[in-house]
Amino acid sequence: APTPAAPTAVTRNATGVNNTSATLRGTVDPNNAATTYWFEYSTDSLLGSVLRKTTAKVSAGSGGTEVQATANISGLARGTTYYARVVAQNSLGTTEGAKVSFKTK
């Protein structure tokens, strides 16, 4: 059996961005250990804890292949730049994807 490892997480560009909502996207590879993922987003480019919001945790399963990760977010401010990343976690570690930015209309 493959050796379990910390998950791989890649943030993709947000889609469906409009005035107050967007769909955050990424891919997560559980690397053969039960993995959950969530997204963090904020108007703070450093994703500081005060302004950072976190979506619900979703299971990515425990396989050894990449799965699509998405989350719909709303309540955003119009004409504002947001920063987001996907985060994946299993018993072997937590991996943060690179940050992406998007601007609401």
Side-chain angles (χ1 to χ4, degrees), residues 12-103:
R12 305 283 185 207
N13 287 329
T15 58
V17 179
N18 62 31
N19 295 342
T20 59
S21 63
T23 300
L24 303 181
R25 298 170 53 247
T27 56
V28 171
D29 187 332
N31 286 328
N32 306 297
T35 296
T36 56
Y37 73 84
W38 63 93
F39 289 87
E40 297 174 341
Y41 64 99
S42 177
T43 55
D44 174 10
S45 64
L46 300 177
L47 291 172
S49 58
V50 175
L51 298 170
R52 185 176 67 219
K53 296 187 178 184
T54 302
T55 64
K57 290 186 177 183
V58 177
S59 171
S62 57
T65 57
E66 220 172 57
V67 298
Q68 298 298 314
T70 61
N72 297 313
I73 57 172
S74 58
L76 306 177
R78 297 181 69 150
T80 302
T81 299
Y82 284 85
Y83 301 86
R85 67 184 169 207
V86 66
V87 184
Q89 183 175 59
N90 65 26
S91 59
L92 294 138
T94 302
T95 305
E96 296 174 347
K99 283 183 294 193
V100 298
S101 65
F102 63 93
K103 187 172 181 179

